[in-house]
Amino acid sequence: MREYLQAPLLGLSKAHGSKATVAIRGTGSYVPPRVVPNSFFESLVDTSDEWIRSRTGIRERRMVQPGQALTDMALPAAERALEMAGIEASDLGLIVVGTVSADMITPSAACILQHRLGAKKAFAFDVNAACPGFIYALSVARSLMRENGLEYSLVVGGEVISNRVDYGDRSTCVLFGDGAGAVVLGPSNGNGEGEILSIHLHSDGSLWELLQLPGGGSRNPPSQEMLDRGMHFLKMQGNEVFKHAVRSMVEAAQEAMEANGIGPSELDWFIPHQANLRIMELVAQKLEIPPEKVIVTVDKYGNTSAASIPTALDEAVREGRIKRGDLILVDSFGAGFTWGAALFRF
Ligand code: ACO
């Protein structure tokens, strides 16, 4: 039986340890005000606005100011999601942040966010799963809510990537942008709205070398040599990543639809990871999802990694495109490799 037909009438707190249905009760997002057009890169590397637009679909991206960190964006995104959900930060039992660019290595961005929000009751931690970090965090939060009988949780996907790319490497520096998106999860109200139907996660660590940020961890700790060799910057074999991304995103999306017995025509919206418009178009085409059902923000924000899906979701909700009850498929792929899809009603 489909999970959304099993909507419990009780709140999660009364369904401790069960497979109680968890629902998205609010969304929020924040992107920094600094707009960086493609022309910015023309004086740094051998590239052009025309190349970037035609090969990636990106026109511009947002970048933080020096000194701005992930929780400076996660905080307003979370506050907006809490406001939409109509709850206070003090109601949260859990905060999970999907990110590879927390304010610092430790403590987690989630703990700093907990403090800044005043979410005293919550326990908090980060999930490192690159671009699908939001989908991974959603899954972890849903499981922990069920396991611990928590009523409300906050899930954030956010990233400051603009200071982790090499502005001398034209194949990566033009692709990324900064941002944060959030959802508040809570008990289902029994009418299907917001209900998460299923989440499907995958990894293949054998391909880790194709997309990595090697410096600063325990393998290559901070040192002058590490900086001189540019190991603190993201490295990507773009065309290899491209091929794997298309194949894996198609498979994860098919798995999610099959698990719920639905076909592409029943979807209201498809929100793929916003890495490259060509990847998004290819995936949608292979899944037979028409372009008008695909939410696109990559043109204005670039690849914001874990932020791409929750910011696109929130924007489409606030623009009135996504309405309560709409059936939505989200699908992502990134470093690890990690990938996954989730199906939910808004
Ligand atoms: N401007 C001009 N030329 C460029 C640029 C640029 N910005 N970047 C690369 N090129 C050149 C290359 O040097 C190469 O030149 P050559 O033929 O003389 O060697 C040529 O363009 C073709 O390079 P490809 O890498 O084959 O180009 P491709 O069409 O694959 O586009 C891109 C590159 C945009 C990086 C693409 O491969 C891509 O989007 N890959 C996937 C990225 C992705 O999905 N990431 C997801 C995860 S991100 C994460 O997890 C953090």
Side-chain angles (χ1 to χ4, degrees):
M1 185 188 259
R2 293 181 204 174
E3 213 174 324
Y4 64 86
L5 298 177
Q6 300 171 324
L9 297 173
L10 303 174
L12 285 174
S13 52
K14 293 179 185 159
H16 187 103
S18 77
K19 287 253 175 185
T21 306
V22 172
I24 295 175
R25 303 294 294 263
T27 65
S29 63
Y30 176 87
V31 290
R34 184 178 159 217
V35 179
V36 178
N38 290 342
S39 56
F40 169 82
F41 299 94
E42 290 175 351
S43 60
L44 300 175
V45 286
D46 182 13
T47 192
S48 64
D49 175 46
E50 200 284 324
W51 191 96
I52 301 169
R53 276 178 199 247
S54 62
R55 302 300 274 264
T56 71
I58 300 167
R59 285 187 289 116
E60 58 193 33
R61 73 286 292 137
R62 301 298 181 95
M63 289 188 193
V64 293
Q65 298 291 352
Q68 274 191 307
L70 175 63
T71 63
D72 298 330
M73 298 188 295
L75 183 65
E79 286 169 341
R80 288 166 192 171
L82 287 166
E83 191 187 7
M84 189 188 289
I87 66 157
E88 303 294 326
S90 55
D91 296 322
L92 294 171
L94 167 67
I95 299 174
V96 188
V97 177
T99 189
V100 295
S101 52
D103 296 22
M104 50 193 80
I105 286 191
T106 194
S108 65
C111 280
I112 294 173
L113 183 61
Q114 177 208 8
H115 168 64
R116 295 181 71 178
L117 282 170
K120 288 206 162 70
K121 213 171 70 183
F123 65 100
F125 62 96
D126 292 353
V127 167
N128 179 331
C131 301
F134 173 74
I135 301 179
Y136 270 65
L138 195 69
S139 179
V140 168
R142 183 174 74 144
S143 298
L144 284 172
M145 288 170 76
R146 288 169 162 175
E147 180 69 20
N148 296 285
L150 305 174
E151 199 163 24
Y152 292 106
S153 75
L154 175 72
V155 178
V156 177
E159 224 76 80
V160 178
I161 298 282
S162 61
N163 56 23
R164 308 312 301 270
V165 291
D166 179 354
Y167 288 90
D169 174 7
R170 67 179 181 174
S171 64
T172 55
C173 70
V174 302
L175 303 175
F176 295 94
D178 305 327
V183 299
V184 168
L185 301 182
S188 162
N189 58 13
N191 64 2
E193 284 182 359
E195 288 178 5
I196 298 171
L197 308 180
S198 66
I199 305 176
H200 308 266
L201 305 177
H202 297 278
S203 308
D204 183 354
S206 71
L207 300 167
W208 69 269
E209 284 177 291
L210 295 175
L211 180 48
Q212 54 171 301
L213 202 163
S218 55
R219 178 75 61 199
N220 300 289
S223 67
Q224 190 55 51
E225 190 201 346
M226 183 209 88
L227 294 172
D228 291 345
R229 293 173 62 192
M231 295 173 83
H232 53 305
F233 293 134
L234 194 81
K235 323 268 177 211
M236 178 166 71
Q237 289 183 37
N239 42 17
E240 278 301 310
V241 175
F242 193 112
K243 282 185 264 174
H244 286 284
V246 172
R247 191 181 317 132
S248 302
M249 286 172 69
V250 168
E251 283 172 10
Q254 282 168 339
E255 187 185 352
M257 287 192 282
E258 276 165 30
N260 292 278
I262 66 148
S265 62
E266 288 165 79
L267 292 174
D268 291 298
W269 298 104
F270 179 48
I271 311 182
H273 174 43
Q274 313 279 317
N276 181 324
L277 189 61
R278 285 159 54 218
I279 296 178
M280 296 161 65
E281 286 173 347
L282 265 173
V283 171
Q285 198 186 330
K286 286 178 189 287
L287 292 169
E288 297 179 3
I289 299 172
E292 60 273 18
K293 287 188 178 180
V294 182
I295 304 274
V296 177
T297 59
V298 70
D299 54 331
K300 26 183 205 171
Y301 302 140
N303 179 351
T304 58
S305 184
S308 88
I309 287 174
T311 49
L313 170 67
D314 180 56
E315 229 181 73
V317 166
R318 286 174 193 271
E319 284 169 357
R321 297 173 73 198
I322 291 181
K323 299 195 173 47
R324 279 288 177 195
D326 281 358
L327 186 59
I328 300 166
L329 176 65
V330 299
D331 191 9
S332 187
F333 178 89
F337 287 145
T338 51
W339 64 99
L343 195 68
F344 56 89
R345 290 208 174 271
F346 182 64

mmCIF file with all atom_site columns, all heavy atoms in Angstrom, residues 61-82:
data_model
loop_
_atom_site.group_PDB
_atom_site.id
_atom_site.type_symbol
_atom_site.label_atom_id
_atom_site.label_alt_id
_atom_site.label_comp_id
_atom_site.label_asym_id
_atom_site.label_entity_id
_atom_site.label_seq_id
_atom_site.pdbx_PDB_ins_code
_atom_site.Cartn_x
_atom_site.Cartn_y
_atom_site.Cartn_z
_atom_site.occupancy
_atom_site.B_iso_or_equiv
_atom_site.pdbx_formal_charge
_atom_site.auth_seq_id
_atom_site.auth_comp_id
_atom_site.auth_asym_id
_atom_site.auth_atom_id
_atom_site.pdbx_PDB_model_num
ATOM 1   N N   . ARG A 1 61 ? 25.222 33.660 -10.741 1.00 0.00 ? 61 ARG A N   1
ATOM 2   C CA  . ARG A 1 61 ? 25.138 32.926 -9.482  1.00 0.00 ? 61 ARG A CA  1
ATOM 3   C C   . ARG A 1 61 ? 25.257 33.937 -8.352  1.00 0.00 ? 61 ARG A C   1
ATOM 4   O O   . ARG A 1 61 ? 25.612 35.101 -8.580  1.00 0.00 ? 61 ARG A O   1
ATOM 5   C CB  . ARG A 1 61 ? 26.217 31.822 -9.370  1.00 0.00 ? 61 ARG A CB  1
ATOM 6   C CG  . ARG A 1 61 ? 27.620 32.237 -9.145  1.00 0.00 ? 61 ARG A CG  1
ATOM 7   C CD  . ARG A 1 61 ? 28.319 32.847 -10.357 1.00 0.00 ? 61 ARG A CD  1
ATOM 8   N NE  . ARG A 1 61 ? 28.552 31.898 -11.447 1.00 0.00 ? 61 ARG A NE  1
ATOM 9   C CZ  . ARG A 1 61 ? 28.351 32.187 -12.730 1.00 0.00 ? 61 ARG A CZ  1
ATOM 10  N NH1 . ARG A 1 61 ? 27.961 33.420 -13.108 1.00 0.00 ? 61 ARG A NH1 1
ATOM 11  N NH2 . ARG A 1 61 ? 28.580 31.307 -13.680 1.00 0.00 ? 61 ARG A NH2 1
ATOM 12  N N   . ARG A 1 62 ? 24.944 33.501 -7.137  1.00 0.00 ? 62 ARG A N   1
ATOM 13  C CA  . ARG A 1 62 ? 25.074 34.369 -5.965  1.00 0.00 ? 62 ARG A CA  1
ATOM 14  C C   . ARG A 1 62 ? 26.306 33.941 -5.185  1.00 0.00 ? 62 ARG A C   1
ATOM 15  O O   . ARG A 1 62 ? 26.597 32.752 -5.081  1.00 0.00 ? 62 ARG A O   1
ATOM 16  C CB  . ARG A 1 62 ? 23.839 34.248 -5.062  1.00 0.00 ? 62 ARG A CB  1
ATOM 17  C CG  . ARG A 1 62 ? 22.531 34.612 -5.751  1.00 0.00 ? 62 ARG A CG  1
ATOM 18  C CD  . ARG A 1 62 ? 22.528 36.058 -6.202  1.00 0.00 ? 62 ARG A CD  1
ATOM 19  N NE  . ARG A 1 62 ? 21.262 36.405 -6.836  1.00 0.00 ? 62 ARG A NE  1
ATOM 20  C CZ  . ARG A 1 62 ? 20.253 36.983 -6.186  1.00 0.00 ? 62 ARG A CZ  1
ATOM 21  N NH1 . ARG A 1 62 ? 20.353 37.273 -4.898  1.00 0.00 ? 62 ARG A NH1 1
ATOM 22  N NH2 . ARG A 1 62 ? 19.149 37.269 -6.822  1.00 0.00 ? 62 ARG A NH2 1
ATOM 23  N N   . MET A 1 63 ? 27.006 34.932 -4.608  1.00 0.00 ? 63 MET A N   1
ATOM 24  C CA  . MET A 1 63 ? 28.183 34.614 -3.792  1.00 0.00 ? 63 MET A CA  1
ATOM 25  C C   . MET A 1 63 ? 28.128 35.394 -2.493  1.00 0.00 ? 63 MET A C   1
ATOM 26  O O   . MET A 1 63 ? 27.728 36.567 -2.476  1.00 0.00 ? 63 MET A O   1
ATOM 27  C CB  . MET A 1 63 ? 29.465 34.967 -4.529  1.00 0.00 ? 63 MET A CB  1
ATOM 28  C CG  . MET A 1 63 ? 29.789 34.048 -5.695  1.00 0.00 ? 63 MET A CG  1
ATOM 29  S SD  . MET A 1 63 ? 31.443 34.440 -6.323  1.00 0.00 ? 63 MET A SD  1
ATOM 30  C CE  . MET A 1 63 ? 31.425 33.543 -7.871  1.00 0.00 ? 63 MET A CE  1
ATOM 31  N N   . VAL A 1 64 ? 28.582 34.746 -1.420  1.00 0.00 ? 64 VAL A N   1
ATOM 32  C CA  . VAL A 1 64 ? 28.663 35.422 -0.123  1.00 0.00 ? 64 VAL A CA  1
ATOM 33  C C   . VAL A 1 64 ? 29.754 36.496 -0.183  1.00 0.00 ? 64 VAL A C   1
ATOM 34  O O   . VAL A 1 64 ? 30.653 36.443 -1.032  1.00 0.00 ? 64 VAL A O   1
ATOM 35  C CB  . VAL A 1 64 ? 28.983 34.429 1.020   1.00 0.00 ? 64 VAL A CB  1
ATOM 36  C CG1 . VAL A 1 64 ? 27.835 33.449 1.241   1.00 0.00 ? 64 VAL A CG1 1
ATOM 37  C CG2 . VAL A 1 64 ? 30.293 33.696 0.780   1.00 0.00 ? 64 VAL A CG2 1
ATOM 38  N N   . GLN A 1 65 ? 29.674 37.440 0.752   1.00 0.00 ? 65 GLN A N   1
ATOM 39  C CA  . GLN A 1 65 ? 30.766 38.405 0.942   1.00 0.00 ? 65 GLN A CA  1
ATOM 40  C C   . GLN A 1 65 ? 31.833 37.721 1.786   1.00 0.00 ? 65 GLN A C   1
ATOM 41  O O   . GLN A 1 65 ? 31.514 36.797 2.542   1.00 0.00 ? 65 GLN A O   1
ATOM 42  C CB  . GLN A 1 65 ? 30.246 39.632 1.706   1.00 0.00 ? 65 GLN A CB  1
ATOM 43  C CG  . GLN A 1 65 ? 29.146 40.404 0.998   1.00 0.00 ? 65 GLN A CG  1
ATOM 44  C CD  . GLN A 1 65 ? 29.637 41.117 -0.251  1.00 0.00 ? 65 GLN A CD  1
ATOM 45  O OE1 . GLN A 1 65 ? 30.848 41.160 -0.534  1.00 0.00 ? 65 GLN A OE1 1
ATOM 46  N NE2 . GLN A 1 65 ? 28.711 41.664 -1.031  1.00 0.00 ? 65 GLN A NE2 1
ATOM 47  N N   . PRO A 1 66 ? 33.096 38.165 1.700   1.00 0.00 ? 66 PRO A N   1
ATOM 48  C CA  . PRO A 1 66 ? 34.116 37.585 2.568   1.00 0.00 ? 66 PRO A CA  1
ATOM 49  C C   . PRO A 1 66 ? 33.664 37.667 4.033   1.00 0.00 ? 66 PRO A C   1
ATOM 50  O O   . PRO A 1 66 ? 33.118 38.676 4.468   1.00 0.00 ? 66 PRO A O   1
ATOM 51  C CB  . PRO A 1 66 ? 35.340 38.476 2.320   1.00 0.00 ? 66 PRO A CB  1
ATOM 52  C CG  . PRO A 1 66 ? 35.125 39.045 0.957   1.00 0.00 ? 66 PRO A CG  1
ATOM 53  C CD  . PRO A 1 66 ? 33.641 39.194 0.800   1.00 0.00 ? 66 PRO A CD  1
ATOM 54  N N   . GLY A 1 67 ? 33.867 36.572 4.754   1.00 0.00 ? 67 GLY A N   1
ATOM 55  C CA  . GLY A 1 67 ? 33.485 36.551 6.173   1.00 0.00 ? 67 GLY A CA  1
ATOM 56  C C   . GLY A 1 67 ? 32.110 35.960 6.424   1.00 0.00 ? 67 GLY A C   1
ATOM 57  O O   . GLY A 1 67 ? 31.779 35.586 7.544   1.00 0.00 ? 67 GLY A O   1
ATOM 58  N N   . GLN A 1 68 ? 31.276 35.878 5.372   1.00 0.00 ? 68 GLN A N   1
ATOM 59  C CA  . GLN A 1 68 ? 29.951 35.263 5.543   1.00 0.00 ? 68 GLN A CA  1
ATOM 60  C C   . GLN A 1 68 ? 30.081 33.755 5.484   1.00 0.00 ? 68 GLN A C   1
ATOM 61  O O   . GLN A 1 68 ? 30.781 33.225 4.618   1.00 0.00 ? 68 GLN A O   1
ATOM 62  C CB  . GLN A 1 68 ? 29.010 35.707 4.431   1.00 0.00 ? 68 GLN A CB  1
ATOM 63  C CG  . GLN A 1 68 ? 28.298 37.009 4.713   1.00 0.00 ? 68 GLN A CG  1
ATOM 64  C CD  . GLN A 1 68 ? 27.204 37.238 3.689   1.00 0.00 ? 68 GLN A CD  1
ATOM 65  O OE1 . GLN A 1 68 ? 27.470 37.190 2.484   1.00 0.00 ? 68 GLN A OE1 1
ATOM 66  N NE2 . GLN A 1 68 ? 26.006 37.485 4.153   1.00 0.00 ? 68 GLN A NE2 1
ATOM 67  N N   . ALA A 1 69 ? 29.413 33.068 6.419   1.00 0.00 ? 69 ALA A N   1
ATOM 68  C CA  . ALA A 1 69 ? 29.529 31.604 6.503   1.00 0.00 ? 69 ALA A CA  1
ATOM 69  C C   . ALA A 1 69 ? 28.176 30.953 6.276   1.00 0.00 ? 69 ALA A C   1
ATOM 70  O O   . ALA A 1 69 ? 27.155 31.640 6.129   1.00 0.00 ? 69 ALA A O   1
ATOM 71  C CB  . ALA A 1 69 ? 30.086 31.222 7.868   1.00 0.00 ? 69 ALA A CB  1
ATOM 72  N N   . LEU A 1 70 ? 28.192 29.634 6.283   1.00 0.00 ? 70 LEU A N   1
ATOM 73  C CA  . LEU A 1 70 ? 26.975 28.883 5.968   1.00 0.00 ? 70 LEU A CA  1
ATOM 74  C C   . LEU A 1 70 ? 25.809 29.250 6.878   1.00 0.00 ? 70 LEU A C   1
ATOM 75  O O   . LEU A 1 70 ? 24.690 29.463 6.408   1.00 0.00 ? 70 LEU A O   1
ATOM 76  C CB  . LEU A 1 70 ? 27.257 27.378 6.070   1.00 0.00 ? 70 LEU A CB  1
ATOM 77  C CG  . LEU A 1 70 ? 26.013 26.517 5.881   1.00 0.00 ? 70 LEU A CG  1
ATOM 78  C CD1 . LEU A 1 70 ? 25.437 26.686 4.499   1.00 0.00 ? 70 LEU A CD1 1
ATOM 79  C CD2 . LEU A 1 70 ? 26.320 25.064 6.162   1.00 0.00 ? 70 LEU A CD2 1
ATOM 80  N N   . THR A 1 71 ? 26.042 29.336 8.188   1.00 0.00 ? 71 THR A N   1
ATOM 81  C CA  . THR A 1 71 ? 24.881 29.574 9.061   1.00 0.00 ? 71 THR A CA  1
ATOM 82  C C   . THR A 1 71 ? 24.336 30.992 8.916   1.00 0.00 ? 71 THR A C   1
ATOM 83  O O   . THR A 1 71 ? 23.204 31.246 9.327   1.00 0.00 ? 71 THR A O   1
ATOM 84  C CB  . THR A 1 71 ? 25.175 29.254 10.551  1.00 0.00 ? 71 THR A CB  1
ATOM 85  O OG1 . THR A 1 71 ? 26.205 30.124 11.022  1.00 0.00 ? 71 THR A OG1 1
ATOM 86  C CG2 . THR A 1 71 ? 25.587 27.797 10.737  1.00 0.00 ? 71 THR A CG2 1
ATOM 87  N N   . ASP A 1 72 ? 25.101 31.907 8.305   1.00 0.00 ? 72 ASP A N   1
ATOM 88  C CA  . ASP A 1 72 ? 24.553 33.246 8.026   1.00 0.00 ? 72 ASP A CA  1
ATOM 89  C C   . ASP A 1 72 ? 23.436 33.159 6.980   1.00 0.00 ? 72 ASP A C   1
ATOM 90  O O   . ASP A 1 72 ? 22.566 34.026 6.922   1.00 0.00 ? 72 ASP A O   1
ATOM 91  C CB  . ASP A 1 72 ? 25.654 34.192 7.528   1.00 0.00 ? 72 ASP A CB  1
ATOM 92  C CG  . ASP A 1 72 ? 26.745 34.384 8.569   1.00 0.00 ? 72 ASP A CG  1
ATOM 93  O OD1 . ASP A 1 72 ? 26.435 34.310 9.769   1.00 0.00 ? 72 ASP A OD1 1
ATOM 94  O OD2 . ASP A 1 72 ? 27.916 34.570 8.182   1.00 0.00 ? 72 ASP A OD2 1
ATOM 95  N N   . MET A 1 73 ? 23.482 32.125 6.140   1.00 0.00 ? 73 MET A N   1
ATOM 96  C CA  . MET A 1 73 ? 22.408 31.907 5.157   1.00 0.00 ? 73 MET A CA  1
ATOM 97  C C   . MET A 1 73 ? 21.365 30.924 5.697   1.00 0.00 ? 73 MET A C   1
ATOM 98  O O   . MET A 1 73 ? 20.170 31.066 5.437   1.00 0.00 ? 73 MET A O   1
ATOM 99  C CB  . MET A 1 73 ? 22.987 31.357 3.845   1.00 0.00 ? 73 MET A CB  1
ATOM 100 C CG  . MET A 1 73 ? 23.967 32.281 3.163   1.00 0.00 ? 73 MET A CG  1
ATOM 101 S SD  . MET A 1 73 ? 24.404 31.660 1.516   1.00 0.00 ? 73 MET A SD  1
ATOM 102 C CE  . MET A 1 73 ? 25.251 30.154 1.953   1.00 0.00 ? 73 MET A CE  1
ATOM 103 N N   . ALA A 1 74 ? 21.849 29.909 6.426   1.00 0.00 ? 74 ALA A N   1
ATOM 104 C CA  . ALA A 1 74 ? 20.919 28.888 6.952   1.00 0.00 ? 74 ALA A CA  1
ATOM 105 C C   . ALA A 1 74 ? 19.933 29.509 7.945   1.00 0.00 ? 74 ALA A C   1
ATOM 106 O O   . ALA A 1 74 ? 18.774 29.088 8.012   1.00 0.00 ? 74 ALA A O   1
ATOM 107 C CB  . ALA A 1 74 ? 21.710 27.763 7.618   1.00 0.00 ? 74 ALA A CB  1
ATOM 108 N N   . LEU A 1 75 ? 20.395 30.515 8.693   1.00 0.00 ? 75 LEU A N   1
ATOM 109 C CA  . LEU A 1 75 ? 19.527 31.129 9.708   1.00 0.00 ? 75 LEU A CA  1
ATOM 110 C C   . LEU A 1 75 ? 18.275 31.771 9.084   1.00 0.00 ? 75 LEU A C   1
ATOM 111 O O   . LEU A 1 75 ? 17.151 31.407 9.457   1.00 0.00 ? 75 LEU A O   1
ATOM 112 C CB  . LEU A 1 75 ? 20.329 32.143 10.539  1.00 0.00 ? 75 LEU A CB  1
ATOM 113 C CG  . LEU A 1 75 ? 19.582 32.821 11.677  1.00 0.00 ? 75 LEU A CG  1
ATOM 114 C CD1 . LEU A 1 75 ? 19.173 31.831 12.759  1.00 0.00 ? 75 LEU A CD1 1
ATOM 115 C CD2 . LEU A 1 75 ? 20.438 33.937 12.292  1.00 0.00 ? 75 LEU A CD2 1
ATOM 116 N N   . PRO A 1 76 ? 18.430 32.703 8.117   1.00 0.00 ? 76 PRO A N   1
ATOM 117 C CA  . PRO A 1 76 ? 17.193 33.256 7.527   1.00 0.00 ? 76 PRO A CA  1
ATOM 118 C C   . PRO A 1 76 ? 16.351 32.209 6.796   1.00 0.00 ? 76 PRO A C   1
ATOM 119 O O   . PRO A 1 76 ? 15.108 32.283 6.815   1.00 0.00 ? 76 PRO A O   1
ATOM 120 C CB  . PRO A 1 76 ? 17.694 34.350 6.563   1.00 0.00 ? 76 PRO A CB  1
ATOM 121 C CG  . PRO A 1 76 ? 19.157 34.122 6.400   1.00 0.00 ? 76 PRO A CG  1
ATOM 122 C CD  . PRO A 1 76 ? 19.627 33.413 7.625   1.00 0.00 ? 76 PRO A CD  1
ATOM 123 N N   . ALA A 1 77 ? 17.011 31.225 6.151   1.00 0.00 ? 77 ALA A N   1
ATOM 124 C CA  . ALA A 1 77 ? 16.242 30.172 5.466   1.00 0.00 ? 77 ALA A CA  1
ATOM 125 C C   . ALA A 1 77 ? 15.400 29.401 6.486   1.00 0.00 ? 77 ALA A C   1
ATOM 126 O O   . ALA A 1 77 ? 14.208 29.130 6.265   1.00 0.00 ? 77 ALA A O   1
ATOM 127 C CB  . ALA A 1 77 ? 17.197 29.217 4.730   1.00 0.00 ? 77 ALA A CB  1
ATOM 128 N N   . ALA A 1 78 ? 16.011 29.063 7.622   1.00 0.00 ? 78 ALA A N   1
ATOM 129 C CA  . ALA A 1 78 ? 15.306 28.308 8.667   1.00 0.00 ? 78 ALA A CA  1
ATOM 130 C C   . ALA A 1 78 ? 14.172 29.140 9.269   1.00 0.00 ? 78 ALA A C   1
ATOM 131 O O   . ALA A 1 78 ? 13.066 28.632 9.497   1.00 0.00 ? 78 ALA A O   1
ATOM 132 C CB  . ALA A 1 78 ? 16.295 27.903 9.757   1.00 0.00 ? 78 ALA A CB  1
ATOM 133 N N   . GLU A 1 79 ? 14.436 30.432 9.506   1.00 0.00 ? 79 GLU A N   1
ATOM 134 C CA  . GLU A 1 79 ? 13.391 31.290 10.097  1.00 0.00 ? 79 GLU A CA  1
ATOM 135 C C   . GLU A 1 79 ? 12.168 31.376 9.175   1.00 0.00 ? 79 GLU A C   1
ATOM 136 O O   . GLU A 1 79 ? 11.027 31.354 9.640   1.00 0.00 ? 79 GLU A O   1
ATOM 137 C CB  . GLU A 1 79 ? 13.959 32.691 10.370  1.00 0.00 ? 79 GLU A CB  1
ATOM 138 C CG  . GLU A 1 79 ? 14.891 32.692 11.569  1.00 0.00 ? 79 GLU A CG  1
ATOM 139 C CD  . GLU A 1 79 ? 15.689 33.988 11.730  1.00 0.00 ? 79 GLU A CD  1
ATOM 140 O OE1 . GLU A 1 79 ? 15.824 34.758 10.748  1.00 0.00 ? 79 GLU A OE1 1
ATOM 141 O OE2 . GLU A 1 79 ? 16.205 34.206 12.840  1.00 0.00 ? 79 GLU A OE2 1
ATOM 142 N N   . ARG A 1 80 ? 12.422 31.433 7.868   1.00 0.00 ? 80 ARG A N   1
ATOM 143 C CA  . ARG A 1 80 ? 11.300 31.501 6.919   1.00 0.00 ? 80 ARG A CA  1
ATOM 144 C C   . ARG A 1 80 ? 10.502 30.194 6.913   1.00 0.00 ? 80 ARG A C   1
ATOM 145 O O   . ARG A 1 80 ? 9.270  30.199 6.835   1.00 0.00 ? 80 ARG A O   1
ATOM 146 C CB  . ARG A 1 80 ? 11.830 31.812 5.513   1.00 0.00 ? 80 ARG A CB  1
ATOM 147 C CG  . ARG A 1 80 ? 12.285 33.254 5.425   1.00 0.00 ? 80 ARG A CG  1
ATOM 148 C CD  . ARG A 1 80 ? 13.115 33.565 4.191   1.00 0.00 ? 80 ARG A CD  1
ATOM 149 N NE  . ARG A 1 80 ? 13.736 34.880 4.359   1.00 0.00 ? 80 ARG A NE  1
ATOM 150 C CZ  . ARG A 1 80 ? 14.649 35.400 3.566   1.00 0.00 ? 80 ARG A CZ  1
ATOM 151 N NH1 . ARG A 1 80 ? 15.064 34.723 2.505   1.00 0.00 ? 80 ARG A NH1 1
ATOM 152 N NH2 . ARG A 1 80 ? 15.158 36.589 3.797   1.00 0.00 ? 80 ARG A NH2 1
ATOM 153 N N   . ALA A 1 81 ? 11.224 29.056 7.005   1.00 0.00 ? 81 ALA A N   1
ATOM 154 C CA  . ALA A 1 81 ? 10.531 27.756 7.020   1.00 0.00 ? 81 ALA A CA  1
ATOM 155 C C   . ALA A 1 81 ? 9.707  27.601 8.305   1.00 0.00 ? 81 ALA A C   1
ATOM 156 O O   . ALA A 1 81 ? 8.581  27.089 8.281   1.00 0.00 ? 81 ALA A O   1
ATOM 157 C CB  . ALA A 1 81 ? 11.549 26.622 6.896   1.00 0.00 ? 81 ALA A CB  1
ATOM 158 N N   . LEU A 1 82 ? 10.263 28.059 9.429   1.00 0.00 ? 82 LEU A N   1
ATOM 159 C CA  . LEU A 1 82 ? 9.539  27.977 10.711  1.00 0.00 ? 82 LEU A CA  1
ATOM 160 C C   . LEU A 1 82 ? 8.273  28.839 10.660  1.00 0.00 ? 82 LEU A C   1
ATOM 161 O O   . LEU A 1 82 ? 7.206  28.434 11.119  1.00 0.00 ? 82 LEU A O   1
ATOM 162 C CB  . LEU A 1 82 ? 10.444 28.450 11.858  1.00 0.00 ? 82 LEU A CB  1
ATOM 163 C CG  . LEU A 1 82 ? 11.575 27.484 12.261  1.00 0.00 ? 82 LEU A CG  1
ATOM 164 C CD1 . LEU A 1 82 ? 12.600 28.201 13.144  1.00 0.00 ? 82 LEU A CD1 1
ATOM 165 C CD2 . LEU A 1 82 ? 11.024 26.266 12.989  1.00 0.00 ? 82 LEU A CD2 1
#
